[in-house]
Amino acid sequence: LSPAASANQTIINTRLTSPVITTASAVGGNFINASVTNGTISGSVDVTANMNVTGRLDIQEIREQFNSATISASVLTADFSTGTIFYVSASPTSNFTVNVTNVPTDNNEAMTVVVLVNQGATGRIPNVLQIDGAAQTLRWLGGTAPTPTSSAGKIDIFNFTLIRTGSSWIVLGNSSLNF
């Protein structure tokens, strides 16, 4: 691909080796709106599919979208395919289950799900974690479930690390409270 390539040129199974590449579109709805000079990208790259990186990845800034979440019948459904951060703005009325759906099941992988809870006068916690409807053993940091903040408007953050090994799950939980 030369510097004079069309702005809508399709790249198929091509390694970007030219010293300079200007705006081009890639296969599958992934777009490069950038210049590549000696391996350095200036501009933006939008990826709408999976991306695998082998080797070191240096990142200056990360920004992640969160999902507004609702607890229904004491269950928060957290669809992993839409993101990994879920904000519950309506204070829960009881402890609740987090059911994480659409979680990749590749072995030897670890993923994190974050649940932010806007607490009411009586604090509540996610006391059960399910993966696609199957209850998992939840291992809390320190061996005991946290005590939620009982103060209206305070936010408690619950982090769950999902570790897939040997075709089964290890689930680690911790919390940061009283924000």
Side-chain angles (χ1 to χ4, degrees), residues 108-174:
N108 302 319
E109 299 286 339
M111 297 146 275
T112 302
V113 173
V114 179
V115 177
L116 297 98
V117 179
N118 184 26
Q119 296 289 5
T122 301
R124 308 296 183 181
I125 66 167
N127 62 341
V128 175
L129 189 124
Q130 299 174 338
I131 296 177
D132 288 319
Q136 305 298 314
T137 301
L138 181 51
R139 301 178 189 188
W140 286 107
L141 178 67
T144 58
T147 302
T149 304
S150 290
S151 182
K154 293 290 185 169
I155 296 175
D156 289 347
I157 304 169
F158 302 94
N159 297 288
F160 302 101
T161 302
L162 314 177
I163 301 168
R164 182 72 172 181
T165 181
S167 297
S168 63
W169 294 101
I170 298 170
V171 178
L172 309 176
N174 67 66

Side-chain angles (χ1 to χ4, degrees), residues 57-157:
L57 176 63
D58 294 330
I59 299 174
Q60 179 177 342
E61 178 182 331
I62 292 179
R63 201 170 68 158
E64 189 171 351
Q65 293 179 338
F66 69 90
N67 291 287
S68 293
T70 304
I71 298 170
S72 177
S74 296
V75 176
L76 165 65
T77 300
D79 184 349
F80 193 87
S81 69
T82 65
T84 60
I85 301 173
F86 300 87
Y87 175 60
V88 180
S89 61
S91 301
T93 57
S94 63
N95 288 340
F96 58 97
T97 297
V98 174
N99 182 24
V100 186
T101 61
N102 298 311
V103 181
T105 56
D106 302 318
N107 280 318
N108 302 319
E109 299 286 339
M111 297 146 275
T112 302
V113 173
V114 179
V115 177
L116 297 98
V117 179
N118 184 26
Q119 296 289 5
T122 301
R124 308 296 183 181
I125 66 167
N127 62 341
V128 175
L129 189 124
Q130 299 174 338
I131 296 177
D132 288 319
Q136 305 298 314
T137 301
L138 181 51
R139 301 178 189 188
W140 286 107
L141 178 67
T144 58
T147 302
T149 304
S150 290
S151 182
K154 293 290 185 169
I155 296 175
D156 289 347
I157 304 169

Side-chain angles (χ1 to χ4, degrees), residues 44-65:
S44 64
V45 178
D46 295 323
V47 178
T48 57
N50 295 337
M51 183 168 79
N52 296 319
V53 177
T54 301
R56 190 174 88 196
L57 176 63
D58 294 330
I59 299 174
Q60 179 177 342
E61 178 182 331
I62 292 179
R63 201 170 68 158
E64 189 171 351
Q65 293 179 338

